[in-house]
Amino acid sequence: MSISGKSFNQQWRELFYGDQWYTDAEGHQVYGQPPPKPRIPLKNPFTLMAQISPQQLIFFLVGWFAWSTDAFDFFCVSLSAGTLAKLWGVQASVITQSITYTLLTRSLGAVIFGVLGDLYGRKWPLFCNLLLIAAFQLATGYCQSLSLFYGLRALFGVTMGGVWGLSAALALENIPKEPRGLFSGILQQGYALGYLIAAIINLYLVPNVSVGWRSLFYFGSGFSLLMALLVALCPESPLYREHQGVKKHVRATTNAFFVELGLMLRSEYVRCIYAVLLMTFFNFMSHGSQDLYPTYLTATKGFSSHDATVATIIGNVGAICGGTLFGYLSQSFGRRQMIILAAFVGACFIPLWILPTSFGGLASGAFFVQFCVQGAWGVIPIFLSELSPPAFRAAFTGVAYQVGNMISSSAAQIEASLGEKFPTTVNGVSVPDYGIVQGILIGIIFALVIVFAYIGKAQPVEEFEKFHRAGVVDEAGNLTDA
């Protein structure tokens, strides 16, 4: 049997005290807290990059670009919220409700495509995933009513939910151990890159074409289709193929996969709950600081859509820098430690993010807050992969991330509604006070991220290649570790 049952007490101690089975200095198998590992020296990032083979780089880039596409398609609504509100004669909070629907349905997609990814490989589930995203983006661009817009964004959420888990598994599971922190940071910033590309398209293409905001969705559809074709040309993940054909006398079956999945959930439910709660706070942190930000700059601060987009671009440059740096540092100084540091520093920059009235001050605040928000996020792909039960890496990481997304789905809606409910006066005009609402919410979330990162002390699973596929049975149909 590949997974043994664990009591609640054992699960609790493994997660919050770091207990595990390990070999002591005398060669005995001991259960408890292993001695601390020596700190890994911080290596030159270019030396770490040189450890990656051309094939491993291809898999990483495919996963990275797929994640970038996902982010581009998601942020089309955030960048178009003001325009859409005027088009349909509603407040911004009505448009941001579609973001809530998207986030609510993403967990369903994470379950569907995560299970398919662990069962049948990373390649073809990701291909189908991106193909469906392209179709829903194109349909959104042709949308003529608010109700249809809501429905399409909900369906889009299902397809969007599958991308992160598959992309992270494909990109990181084939990377050698030492460079994983660095590449985790780079991978997660595919999200900021997608937002950055969307902001640039919104800045330079949308105002200069007759279809206006629709062009953003058309471009996203083409971007997703291109990524789907690249995935189709890419071979299957080598690690998955290796596990698929380890021994001729064993095979993987769908029924056995779900049996083992049930065993894993019974043996690791404390770990699963922890991962979901941590991802809830992380998603509140990112969506609470990003989704309403362009609307905040135009509605509360009175900047033009052009200036709001430029500030968004500056913030995403900060995000890319922060995510890459903190991911890199986490390989030497620890995953949890870098998350805590990023959240603490980010909280210190909240006043700069919401109090200035000048464009330069607010843009600086956006840069540093996103530097820290995505700095913490840069650690998450590898942190979740190492926290995951090894045989369920695509499903565990994807579902934890997207269920957290679902719980935090109302972040933009909460901010928009409270901002409208408690307005402020600017130059004698009453406007929604989105700034104070965002500052309070993000301050609370930074504190919760610090607490949850501190208490989670589970020993990481670092040797990805040493573990089996889920659902593997022997000739007699019994689950096996082969």
Side-chain angles (χ1 to χ4, degrees):
M1 185 66 67
S2 58
I3 299 178
S4 59
K6 296 179 183 178
S7 66
F8 171 80
N9 184 59
Q10 183 180 350
Q11 293 182 57
W12 182 272
R13 293 197 62 84
E14 285 185 0
L15 180 60
F16 297 114
Y17 292 89
D19 287 2
Q20 67 172 33
W21 285 103
Y22 69 97
T23 304
D24 65 13
E26 288 75 35
H28 302 128
Q29 283 290 306
V30 180
Y31 185 79
Q33 298 178 39
K37 297 178 182 178
R39 186 175 72 82
I40 301 172
L42 194 63
K43 291 191 175 181
N44 186 310
F46 296 102
T47 303
L48 295 174
M49 289 180 180
Q51 297 183 25
I52 307 299
S53 70
Q55 185 187 55
Q56 290 167 340
L57 180 61
I58 289 172
F59 286 110
F60 176 80
L61 290 175
V62 168
W64 187 57
F65 279 120
W67 180 224
S68 300
T69 304
D70 201 33
F72 180 104
D73 294 332
F74 175 77
F75 282 108
C76 287
V77 173
S78 295
L79 292 167
S80 306
T83 302
L84 292 172
K86 293 178 181 177
L87 175 67
W88 286 313
V90 295
Q91 290 185 314
S93 59
V94 177
I95 301 300
T96 58
Q97 191 171 337
S98 69
I99 297 175
T100 303
Y101 295 149
T102 298
L103 297 177
L104 280 171
T105 56
R106 278 168 66 167
S107 55
L108 177 59
V111 172
I112 295 171
F113 289 100
V115 168
L116 290 174
D118 283 329
L119 256 176
Y120 302 114
R122 319 307 190 198
K123 175 180 176 177
W124 292 114
L126 184 56
F127 169 78
C128 295
N129 207 168
L130 290 168
L131 210 58
L132 288 169
I133 286 176
F136 288 127
Q137 280 292 94
L138 184 63
T140 304
Y142 283 101
C143 189
Q144 299 294 331
S145 70
L146 183 58
S147 58
L148 179 59
F149 181 78
Y150 281 163
L152 287 170
R153 296 314 287 177
L155 290 172
F156 165 76
V158 176
T159 55
M160 184 184 181
V163 174
W164 192 82
L166 292 171
S167 296
L170 181 66
L172 294 178
E173 68 186 4
N174 299 291
I175 297 288
K177 179 180 174 181
E178 279 194 331
R180 282 180 193 156
L182 173 62
F183 279 87
S184 172
I186 297 173
L187 172 67
Q188 186 58 29
Q189 294 332 298
Y191 185 79
L193 177 67
Y195 194 0
L196 179 62
I197 296 172
I200 292 172
I201 296 298
N202 188 62
L203 184 63
Y204 293 107
L205 176 66
V206 171
N208 297 308
V209 294
S210 59
V211 293
W213 66 272
R214 300 179 192 277
S215 62
L216 194 58
F217 291 88
Y218 297 156
F219 188 95
S221 177
F223 193 15
S224 299
L225 180 61
L226 175 62
M227 289 304 108
L229 295 177
L230 288 178
V231 170
L233 294 174
C234 181
E236 180 57 82
S237 167
L239 187 62
Y240 182 86
R241 288 202 314 270
E242 180 184 327
H243 289 169
Q244 190 176 27
V246 177
K247 296 180 182 178
K248 293 183 179 179
H249 69 278
V250 299
R251 69 189 193 281
T253 68
T254 303
N255 182 62
F257 175 90
F258 284 104
V259 169
E260 189 164 352
L261 177 62
L263 290 171
M264 185 276 289
L265 291 174
R266 287 196 294 272
S267 295
E268 301 288 359
Y269 62 85
V270 174
R271 185 179 301 245
C272 293
I273 292 170
Y274 170 80
V276 167
L277 289 174
L278 183 66
M279 288 298 94
T280 297
F281 301 137
F282 262 82
N283 281 294
F284 262 116
M285 184 171 67
S286 58
H287 292 296
S289 65
Q290 293 172 342
D291 295 359
L292 200 66
Y293 185 70
T295 305
Y296 154 64
L297 290 180
T298 55
T300 304
K301 295 297 184 179
F303 291 104
S304 66
S305 295
H306 178 278
D307 286 346
T309 302
V310 171
T312 298
I313 292 172
I314 292 171
N316 279 286
V317 171
I320 292 170
C321 296
T324 303
L325 176 63
F326 279 92
Y328 165 61
L329 294 175
S330 75
Q331 194 68 34
S332 178
F333 296 103
R335 315 294 189 207
R336 296 164 45 246
Q337 289 82 350
M338 287 300 100
I339 290 172
I340 291 169
L341 178 62
F344 176 79
V345 175
C348 296
F349 278 110
I350 289 176
L352 182 62
W353 185 53
I354 61 173
L355 295 181
T357 55
S358 67
F359 175 81
L362 288 167
S364 298
F367 179 92
F368 287 112
V369 165
Q370 290 307 317
F371 182 92
C372 296
V373 167
Q374 291 303 318
W377 265 107
V379 184
I380 285 298
I382 192 60
F383 180 76
L384 275 188
S385 294
E386 292 174 347
L387 184 67
S388 166
F392 298 93
R393 195 171 298 117
F396 180 90
T397 57
V399 172
Y401 175 80
Q402 300 300 0
V403 172
N405 244 324
M406 180 183 70
I407 298 172
S408 67
S409 61
S410 58
Q413 186 72 9
I414 290 171
E415 290 177 342
S417 298
L418 289 176
E420 291 162 5
K421 186 174 181 181
F422 300 103
T424 187
T425 302
V426 178
N427 297 325
V429 179
S430 178
V431 296
D433 195 355
Y434 296 133
I436 294 299
V437 172
Q438 288 182 113
I440 293 172
L441 176 65
I442 297 305
I444 294 170
I445 294 303
F446 274 139
L448 289 170
V449 165
I450 290 170
V451 170
F452 265 71
Y454 177 77
I455 64 175
K457 300 176 182 177
Q459 298 296 320
V461 177
E462 298 174 336
E463 306 297 334
F464 291 171
E465 66 280 356
K466 292 184 178 180
F467 296 90
H468 72 291
R469 279 181 68 193
V472 174
V473 296
D474 59 22
E475 292 175 329
N478 299 313
L479 283 170
T480 176
D481 290 337

